[in-house]
Amino acid sequence: MRTLSYSRAISEGLVQAMQRDENIFVTGIAVDYPSGIFGSTVEPAEMFPSRVFDAPAMEDGLTGIAIGAAAVGKRPVIVHPRNDFMFQGFDQLINLAAKWSYMYGGQAGRVPIVVRAVIGRGWGQGATHSQSLQSVLAHFPGLIVAMPAMPADAKGLLLTALQQDSPVVLLEHRTLYGHEGEVPERPIPIPFGRAAVWREGSDLTIVATSLMVHEALAAAEELMRHGIDAEVVDPRTIRPLDEETILASIRKTGRLIVADTSWEFCGFASEVAALAVEKAFHALKAPVRRIALADCPAPVSQPLENAFYPKASTIAQAGLNLFGSNSTVGEIDHEDSFKGPY
């Protein structure tokens, strides 16, 4: 199978979907720039210049316009270069789009809007440009929230999103756009609510989201050198959540680490920890460990930022500690190659 970057996979999926459905249009800050949201909207903008267009910084109004367009049959895709900008559109997204079919009893059609938003760390973006909002968004019934970690998932989940009747938020980590992997050329949607097991293991389950999937896979290789066989589970969608696959893995291994791109308190890691305690308590051989951001806003200083974000070594060390090992992990952390901006 050919290899594509995460960015190229999104671009290809978007083009294929737009070729099939003339109701799809793409808008947001810088979507038609030469840089095109890390390259993910360049080809769509070249092929469909009237359907890929820039928008001013008016997130609340833009989301409302997109909801209105969706209600009359269009399929808008809004792209936020930073997901923090979405805060301005939360009233429209959460109070209107997510509740549309509930409030109107299905008598006012559907609002199938797709929101792509960039999350995560990178080159000292600080407290207001690097957050990861999956827990906030997944809290509300009516919203689908996906976090693709692999290029094939970035394409497949986007294709699925563009076939839904419900609003979907796709959270894309900026560090992943250059990541390469095998991607099918055909437009193959990936179902929501179906996790991927990227590495099978027998001693420890690591449930990880987005960029943390890659950190977990590196940690699993390090743990194997210490005799610990870790399984890495990627939920792919936060809501709906594939509880069955997560619980099956916990019941097999008896130990759980959850590694997320956001904070621990009221976060996704806490949700999975609660799931394990409620439905797989008797299978647990050790306390659940949550790996998340330090409990403070993101710093701008690079040394502080390096300490703020958990890495592969953080997960691996937690795995060793779960087994009572006093060993320390090797130099397994990747250098952050992101050079910013979009």
Side-chain angles (χ1 to χ4, degrees):
M1 188 182 296
R2 85 285 167 58
T3 296
L4 289 183
S5 69
Y6 188 94
S7 172
R8 183 78 182 90
I10 293 171
S11 172
E12 183 175 84
L14 203 49
V15 166
Q16 290 174 344
M18 295 179 78
Q19 287 172 329
R20 287 201 318 272
D21 187 348
E22 64 181 12
N23 289 311
I24 296 173
F25 68 86
V26 182
T27 186
I29 297 172
V31 295
D32 61 356
Y33 282 20
S35 52
I37 313 295
F38 303 100
S40 66
T41 57
V42 172
E43 188 175 1
E46 290 172 351
M47 293 184 64
F48 308 99
S50 65
R51 293 162 59 192
V52 180
F53 48 89
D54 190 29
M58 42 171 272
E59 288 79 8
D60 182 42
L62 184 63
T63 308
I65 291 168
I67 291 170
V72 296
K74 298 294 183 182
R75 283 193 177 273
V77 179
I78 301 176
V79 188
H80 295 289
R82 295 181 174 90
N83 82 150
D84 316 76
F85 298 170
M86 291 174 64
F87 284 127
Q88 300 294 330
F90 265 24
D91 182 47
Q92 297 284 350
L93 185 64
I94 292 170
N95 254 342
L96 201 57
K99 299 166 183 169
W100 188 276
S101 62
Y102 296 91
M103 289 194 301
Y104 298 115
Q107 302 302 307
R110 303 284 182 175
V111 287
I113 68 170
V114 174
V115 180
R116 290 180 49 205
V118 181
I119 63 172
R121 63 181 299 176
W123 106 103
Q125 293 196 99
T128 60
H129 291 88
S130 56
Q131 295 163 102
S132 194
L133 303 180
Q134 62 270 22
S135 298
V136 179
L137 294 161
H139 181 67
F140 294 94
L143 280 182
I144 295 169
V145 182
M147 301 183 74
M150 304 296 179
D153 288 352
K155 177 181 176 181
L157 292 169
L158 174 61
L159 289 169
T160 302
L162 289 168
Q163 297 173 358
Q164 296 292 304
D165 286 334
S166 302
V168 180
V169 179
L170 296 164
L171 298 176
E172 303 161 3
H173 201 290
R174 60 174 50 85
T175 304
L176 294 176
Y177 285 108
H179 180 81
E180 295 187 339
E182 292 185 342
V183 181
E185 190 167 352
R186 292 174 51 221
I188 302 175
I190 292 176
F192 293 149
R194 188 175 299 175
V197 179
W198 295 120
R199 186 186 191 282
E200 294 191 358
S202 57
D203 300 327
L204 165 67
T205 296
I206 305 174
V207 175
T209 59
S210 189
L211 177 65
M212 297 309 290
V213 173
H214 300 272
E215 305 289 11
L217 288 169
E221 293 304 311
E222 172 68 8
L223 287 169
M224 196 67 224
R225 285 191 277 274
H226 295 265
I228 299 171
D229 190 12
E231 182 155 292
V232 177
V233 179
D234 170 10
R236 298 202 283 205
T237 55
I238 305 306
R239 187 184 184 102
L241 181 64
D242 183 355
E243 293 186 4
E244 188 175 323
T245 298
I246 293 172
L247 290 170
S249 181
I250 296 169
R251 290 176 180 130
K252 178 172 70 172
T253 66
R255 297 174 178 85
L256 172 64
I257 291 174
V258 190
D260 189 27
T261 58
S262 190
W263 291 286
E264 179 181 300
F265 188 82
C266 291
F268 175 72
S270 299
E271 180 66 27
V272 176
L275 173 70
V277 170
E278 280 189 348
K279 299 184 179 178
F281 180 76
H282 295 291
L284 291 172
K285 302 172 185 173
V288 178
R289 281 295 312 272
R290 293 172 290 172
I291 305 294
L293 304 179
D295 193 21
C296 62
V300 173
S301 155
Q302 188 170 10
L304 290 177
E305 191 179 49
N306 288 337
F308 177 75
Y309 290 105
K311 311 170 189 66
S313 59
T314 317
I315 302 170
Q317 192 64 57
L320 289 174
N321 293 343
L322 275 182
F323 284 83
S325 171
N326 294 321
S327 302
T328 56
V329 300
E331 297 292 330
I332 62 172
D333 293 330
H334 305 292
E335 182 181 352
D336 187 1
S337 59
F338 183 82
K339 302 301 179 188
Y342 59 90

